[in-house]
Amino acid sequence: MDALRPGDPARIGGHRLLGRLGAGGMGVVYLGRTEAGALAAIKVILPDYAGDEDFRTRFRRETEAARRVDSPWAVPVTGADTESETPWLATEFVPGPTLSEVVARCGPLPTRSVHVLGRLLSRALTAVHGAGLVHRDVKPGNVLLTADGPRLIDFGIARAAEATALTVTGLVVGTPGFLPPEQATGAGAGAGPEGDVFSLGCLLAYAATGRPPFGSGAVDALLYRTVHDEPDLAGVDDPALRALLGECLAKDPAARPAAADLDTRIAEAVPGDGASADWLPEDVARMIAERSAAMLALPDIEATVNTSATTRAPAPARRRFLALAAGGAVALGAGTFAAVRLIGDEPDGRSGASPAGRRWVIGVHADLTGAQKAAGRAQERGVRLAVDRFNSRTDKPFTLAVKVLDDGGDPARSVRVAEEFARDRDVLAVIGPTGDAATGAALPAYDEAVLPLLTVSSLQISYPARVNAAFFQASPSYAALSMPIVNRLLLGPDVERLGVLIDRSGGQAAYQAGYATNLMTPSLTTGTTHPRVVPAGTSDLGPVIADLLGHRSDALFYAGDAAGGARAARALAATPFKGPSMAQHTAMRPEFLERAGEAAEGWEFIAPFTDAGGVSGEPGVPGAADFVTAHRKRFGAAPAAWSAEAYDVTGLVAQEVAALVGSATKGGAGPTGSPTATPSGGTSSGSTPSGDTPSAGTPSADGRPGRAALVAAIAASRYEGISRTYVFDEERQQLVGQEAHLYRAEGGRYRYLGPAPKPKS
């Protein structure tokens, strides 16, 4: 939970507001306490929607209908005012974690837990449908887990089943990945109770396997798979549960069981009154108990007065307690991480103190022992070199150190790493994680702590929006990389049709890259595509290559891993095809060269990382000579892929921290946007925010900048690194630009060809 912000009300409808629980597209959700001491979650509608009469009519109608929902498994409405200048809706506050939190931290639930979850949520939906409502957003984030069972929450987009649609421009109804096909195809206004049953099936499959049944990633891809593909139920071994999920996930709404029928179909006994959380695994029960205990101990908080001149917020110690209560923090024992190091950044492991004696930390959240350990290690080295450079300054206002935590590429471990960094108040910012899945799992912890997180190698097209926007994707996404792929292949001579081979062995990285390339081709060129998707583990790609060539493909793009890329290269070499062939960077590994042999010759690769003199063994990008020399001196080797990018973003962070410290030293005047020399070799310009909460925005007693202030400074920065220019999109804080790099397999090695060409426009 976050502290109240300037401009937030102190009271709403008889509730004293204690803090912010979250914010969405239509409003802000606060934690409040009634005069009688009861806690409530209060959703306050934003002024833009409150002034829309159609929206207000819809909100009024749905609030009245939500009051009719009577079930112990649905969080009840406790109050509302639909006619006030600022409409609001209050529900009972349940301190349990969401299902999405539980699965991210503890993994999939056992079969019995899933059966209990399904039976009780079917009862909640039966009550919702009996009240004439359709929920329309049944998803893991809208289910809270408690000792005696789940609770369905958030009727914010529910609508009366018999009502005509009253829509708001830009309103997204439901959550991709948990939407029924009839909503995914644009028929959402007519979606009925059967759609909720489909969403429940998606939710239960997620609980049982740890992943949505139609995957994740780009919205368009999710909606397409929901409509056309069969659900992925691998890992659901219980025959009864698998059969039940199959019926719930039927494409035809009429073929799905009613919510009331599910209750009778599931035979699992449910917890009784006052039951302990024995229906859940021990680690989940412990999380629930600690969350509940923290909320029961919630201290009384004086009313917060917010005016243009004064903001009274909870004291820092109390605010930390609230964060613990809302976040359900769990203490971690020794041995949690495989690598935990906090060392100085001089080559001998010691760093001299700054004149002011201040020493702060840059975190490295990396995969150092898993599938991406080479990239993780390269990024760690890049961070250390950037810190070396900063600490070598004689006029440095503080000293930096590096703290490294290894998640092994495991999403559950990634969450624990993020929580460890979030608790360490000396950590200014974190570079990482290495992979997509680890990044997605860790985001909530970093966001809750308002701790700046910059990843250079997690390239997923989109991530869930976070309240505090502390996450920066400092590398082009798979979608952005598709543009230079299309430019390189289809803007060449004699190329009209691109064959796209998506190998599911490459996971979401392959699917997103292949899907985006297929989508972008007609948008960027006059060419066409012929896409093919093959299941993971397909050993013979000969028939697929023959199909691509049989449909007149005169260029080929492979999206997948190195082993599959080698199979594709060998299959292609057995044909008369002489056109250009390319693969995404995930296939650009030694394994591709070893397995493909002579068939690898001439294949090109689009990569988001530059060659600073080590990837290809040739002279790298201009301006990287000092970096390469320092890398060889300290580590005895040339820099590997991703090292230069990690070096750059660390320099960006160091620059913005130095600017904030300098601003505070001079009396609080922030930078004015004029470029300043960076301590890591680039240039930067930006502005410093004002009005941050004391714990996150203003400097601490030793002058350490607040985390929220640093987030805002990074968001506004422009940094000229050795690998690229770093500027972030204001809305999603993704890297602006599609800069990519081109490599070619030649003579048994990868040769760097330079920056990928851009179209002339």
Side-chain angles (χ1 to χ4, degrees):
M1 181 174 70
D2 297 322
L4 295 174
R5 300 177 182 178
D8 282 341
R11 304 181 70 90
I12 285 285
H15 301 83
R16 177 183 297 171
L17 300 190
L18 308 181
R20 281 179 166 231
L21 293 173
M26 292 184 291
V28 179
V29 182
Y30 299 98
L31 176 64
R33 190 196 296 278
T34 67
E35 295 299 331
L39 294 174
I42 306 152
K43 184 169 187 176
V44 178
I45 303 303
L46 293 175
D48 288 349
Y49 291 104
D52 186 297
E53 191 55 41
D54 282 347
F55 181 89
R56 188 180 285 268
T57 299
R58 179 176 178 271
F59 181 68
R60 182 186 304 118
R61 181 187 65 203
E62 292 165 1
T63 298
E64 293 169 355
R67 287 179 181 273
R68 302 198 301 267
V69 176
D70 183 15
S71 170
W73 315 116
V75 174
V77 174
T78 59
D81 187 346
T82 61
E83 308 306 322
S84 69
E85 182 178 351
T86 306
W88 58 272
L89 172 72
T91 61
E92 177 184 307
F93 178 74
V94 178
T98 64
L99 176 61
S100 56
E101 286 181 84
V102 165
V103 171
R105 296 189 184 196
C106 305
L109 299 180
T111 299
R112 178 179 180 245
S113 300
V114 178
H115 276 130
V116 172
L117 187 68
R119 189 169 193 184
L120 296 182
L121 288 178
S122 72
R123 293 180 183 180
L125 287 177
T126 298
V128 170
H129 300 161
L133 277 177
V134 182
H135 189 284
R136 298 202 299 174
D137 201 20
V138 178
K139 62 181 180 181
N142 279 341
V143 172
L144 301 173
L145 300 185
T146 72
D148 63 351
R151 300 291 190 276
L152 182 64
I153 65 171
D154 197 353
F155 294 85
I157 63 171
R159 65 183 294 270
E162 76 282 356
T164 57
L166 290 172
T167 60
V168 178
T169 301
L171 180 64
V172 177
V173 180
T175 301
F178 296 90
L179 287 175
E182 56 269 29
Q183 283 180 252
T185 54
E194 303 87 354
D196 284 346
V197 172
F198 185 94
S199 298
L200 178 62
C202 293
L203 179 147
L204 296 177
Y206 171 85
T209 67
R211 62 185 186 279
F214 298 100
S216 58
V219 172
D220 288 347
L222 274 174
L223 299 182
Y224 180 89
R225 293 196 295 270
T226 300
V227 175
H228 298 286
D229 290 0
E230 290 303 310
D232 176 10
L233 299 179
V236 182
D237 299 324
D238 181 71
L241 179 58
R242 193 179 183 96
L244 188 71
L245 293 179
E247 292 185 41
C248 291
L249 296 174
K251 305 295 186 188
D252 181 5
R256 301 170 200 152
D261 294 336
L262 292 176
D263 184 15
T264 59
R265 291 272 303 277
I266 302 174
E268 190 66 54
V270 298
D273 292 339
S276 64
D278 62 354
W279 69 284
L280 290 166
E282 182 179 347
D283 51 351
V284 178
R286 185 166 57 250
M287 182 190 299
I288 292 172
E290 290 174 351
R291 183 77 60 90
S292 299
M295 294 311 296
L296 288 173
L298 189 68
D300 290 330
I301 297 179
E302 296 179 359
T304 300
V305 179
N306 288 322
T307 68
S308 59
T310 304
T311 300
R312 292 176 56 204
R318 182 168 293 176
R319 185 182 298 103
R320 287 194 293 272
F321 183 90
L322 295 178
L324 170 66
V330 179
L332 299 174
T336 302
F337 310 115
V340 181
R341 297 191 298 280
L342 176 58
I343 67 174
D345 292 283
E346 299 301 327
D348 62 357
R350 299 187 301 272
S351 62
S354 66
R358 296 177 290 197
R359 185 172 181 269
W360 302 322
V361 177
I362 299 291
V364 180
H365 180 161
D367 176 2
L368 300 177
T369 54
Q372 294 180 280
K373 60 184 178 183
R377 182 68 65 193
Q379 290 174 29
E380 178 193 349
R381 290 179 170 183
V383 173
R384 292 192 182 282
L385 287 178
V387 169
D388 280 352
R389 180 168 182 135
F390 180 86
N391 287 342
S392 69
R393 292 177 51 184
T394 57
D395 63 340
K396 57 182 177 292
F398 52 86
T399 300
L400 289 176
V402 178
K403 178 175 180 176
V404 183
L405 297 181
D406 173 26
D407 65 21
D410 176 49
R413 213 158 124 190
S414 179
V415 173
R416 297 194 292 272
V417 167
E419 290 170 343
E420 168 67 16
F421 275 130
R423 285 193 295 268
D424 189 341
R425 297 305 301 174
D426 284 335
V427 175
L428 299 171
V430 175
I431 312 304
T434 312
D436 297 331
T439 299
L443 282 182
Y446 285 114
D447 186 73
E448 182 178 316
V450 202
L451 178 56
L453 178 70
L454 298 90
T455 180
V456 298
S457 58
S458 182
L459 313 181
Q460 194 160 294
I461 290 175
S462 63
Y463 291 92
R466 309 309 308 172
V467 173
N468 294 308
F471 173 57
F472 297 87
Q473 191 176 25
S475 188
S477 68
Y478 297 117
L481 288 175
S482 70
M483 298 180 188
I485 291 170
V486 173
N487 293 337
R488 176 69 172 179
L489 292 176
L490 280 153
L491 297 185
D494 303 322
V495 176
E496 292 294 335
R497 182 183 290 260
L498 175 62
V500 180
L501 200 170
I502 303 173
D503 188 342
R504 287 298 194 120
S505 295
Q508 277 299 305
Y511 195 91
Q512 291 190 22
Y515 181 86
T517 300
N518 185 61
L519 186 68
M520 289 294 181
T521 295
S523 300
L524 300 176
T525 74
T526 58
T528 59
T529 62
H530 180 64
R532 284 293 306 271
V533 180
V534 297
T538 302
S539 58
D540 183 8
L541 294 181
V544 183
I545 294 294
D547 176 78
L548 292 172
L549 300 183
H551 284 80
R552 305 187 317 280
S553 298
D554 36 33
L556 177 67
F557 173 66
Y558 170 83
D561 60 7
R567 288 193 291 270
R570 291 198 305 270
L572 192 63
T575 73
F577 180 79
K578 299 299 180 183
S581 51
M582 179 177 285
Q584 66 179 134
H585 70 280
T586 52
M588 189 184 142
R589 297 186 178 180
E591 184 180 5
F592 175 84
L593 298 175
E594 294 165 3
R595 294 194 179 191
E598 293 182 359
E601 195 74 9
W603 273 71
E604 293 185 349
F605 300 83
I606 287 287
F609 49 78
T610 189
D611 184 16
V615 180
S616 67
E618 297 179 351
V621 295
D626 290 345
F627 167 72
V628 174
T629 299
H631 195 286
R632 289 185 179 276
K633 180 178 179 181
R634 178 157 186 186
F635 301 112
W642 304 113
S643 189
E645 286 73 19
Y647 176 85
D648 281 345
V649 296
T650 306
L652 186 160
V653 170
Q655 162 58 31
E656 296 307 325
V657 174
L660 289 171
V661 170
S663 174
T665 302
K666 295 175 183 177
T672 61
S674 58
T676 57
T678 71
S680 296
T683 59
S684 174
S685 65
S687 59
T688 301
S690 60
D692 295 305
T693 60
S695 67
T698 57
S700 62
D702 64 353
R704 181 183 63 241
R707 288 174 170 179
L710 182 54
V711 166
I714 293 171
S717 66
R718 178 184 179 88
Y719 186 83
E720 298 291 342
I722 60 175
S723 58
R724 58 169 47 89
T725 299
Y726 290 84
V727 179
F728 296 102
D729 173 77
E730 292 182 4
E731 182 178 351
R732 296 194 294 171
Q733 297 187 174
Q734 289 181 319
L735 186 71
V736 174
Q738 292 84 41
E739 286 84 359
H741 299 271
L742 193 61
Y743 296 81
R744 180 184 296 144
E746 290 184 0
R749 64 184 182 87
Y750 295 113
R751 178 190 170 201
Y752 180 55
L753 301 182
K758 297 180 180 180
K760 298 178 181 179
S761 60

